[in-house]
Each structure stands twice: as C-alpha cells, then as structure tokens.
Amino acid sequence: MVEPRPWIDGYVRAWNSNDPDDISALFTEDAVYYTEPYSTPWQGRDEIVVKWLDRQDKPGEATFEWHPVCVTEDVGVIQGVTTYPDKTYSNLWVIRFVPDGRCREFTEWWMRHDAG
C-alpha cells in the first residue's frame, strides 16, 4: 500500500517552491491531472508542470491541512482545507498511485467557503 503522506508533503513542497523538479517528481511521465472532476485534464508530466506554473501561488501564501478519508493499495482519498489570506476552500483529492509512490492520476474537487 502506498502511504499518501510523503506524496502530499512533496505536493505542498512543490506548491510552495514552484520548482519544476519538485512538481515533476510527483507524477509519472504519462500522468493526468484533473483540476475539476469533469474538466479536460492536463496530460503528461511536462504539461502538468507548465499548467501548474501558469497558475502558481506565491510561496507561503496558503496553508493546507488534510486527513485521509480512504487509502487502498493504490488510491488515496484526501479531505483538506486550503486557506489563503482572503479565502478558504474545502478540497477532496483522489490520488491514484503507482507502486513507487508517484501519482498517475490526480482529481481535485474544491469548494469555496462563503465569505460570511
């Protein structure tokens, strides 16, 4: 069974560094990344890196708290909360892993919290 914590630690590190090597280390060469469940995915590690950097956050701008909902041999379902200075999102991530711990498919659901 793949433990999701090292991958998520790497994701948060990449989120804060925006370093292409940190980002690419997370994904298989042919990985797909769905920014929304039914959107056209980013296809392949190279495109994931490019698209990630097109939408990058400033280092340290957000905090991310999470816990596993379900972990199987090759899938982790993670519930999290992303907090920016001016907005907060609830997240649900489905991460499909290969045996070495990299991601082959990532799908995220995100919901913005009401401002008040």
Side-chain angles (χ1 to χ4, degrees):
M1 177 173 354
V2 174
E3 163 60 41
R5 181 169 301 280
W7 190 88
I8 294 173
D9 289 347
Y11 189 100
V12 172
R13 184 172 41 259
W15 192 348
N16 282 303
S17 73
N18 294 310
D19 183 304
D21 291 336
D22 288 346
I23 301 164
S24 64
L26 297 167
F27 299 97
T28 61
E29 188 174 319
D30 60 346
V32 292
Y33 189 122
Y34 291 88
T35 59
E36 298 176 23
Y38 303 104
S39 64
T40 301
W42 302 342
Q43 296 190 3
R45 185 173 40 217
D46 292 342
E47 183 175 9
I48 291 169
V49 170
V50 168
K51 298 285 190 172
W52 179 307
L53 294 173
D54 284 347
R55 302 172 42 160
Q56 67 183 276
D57 290 333
K58 294 177 186 170
E61 180 180 37
T63 61
F64 183 68
E65 298 176 25
W66 67 277
H67 67 273
V69 173
C70 179
V71 178
T72 69
E73 187 172 317
D74 64 347
V75 177
V77 179
I78 307 303
Q79 185 175 7
V81 175
T82 305
T83 305
Y84 292 90
D86 61 342
K87 57 191 173 242
T88 301
Y89 294 92
S90 288
N91 311 102
L92 186 65
W93 293 356
V94 178
I95 310 159
R96 298 184 187 280
F97 295 104
V98 296
D100 69 8
R102 291 177 300 151
C103 175
R104 65 178 175 82
E105 182 178 306
F106 179 86
T107 305
E108 63 180 323
W109 285 257
W110 48 272
M111 292 72 49
R112 185 168 178 175
H113 293 199
D114 285 337

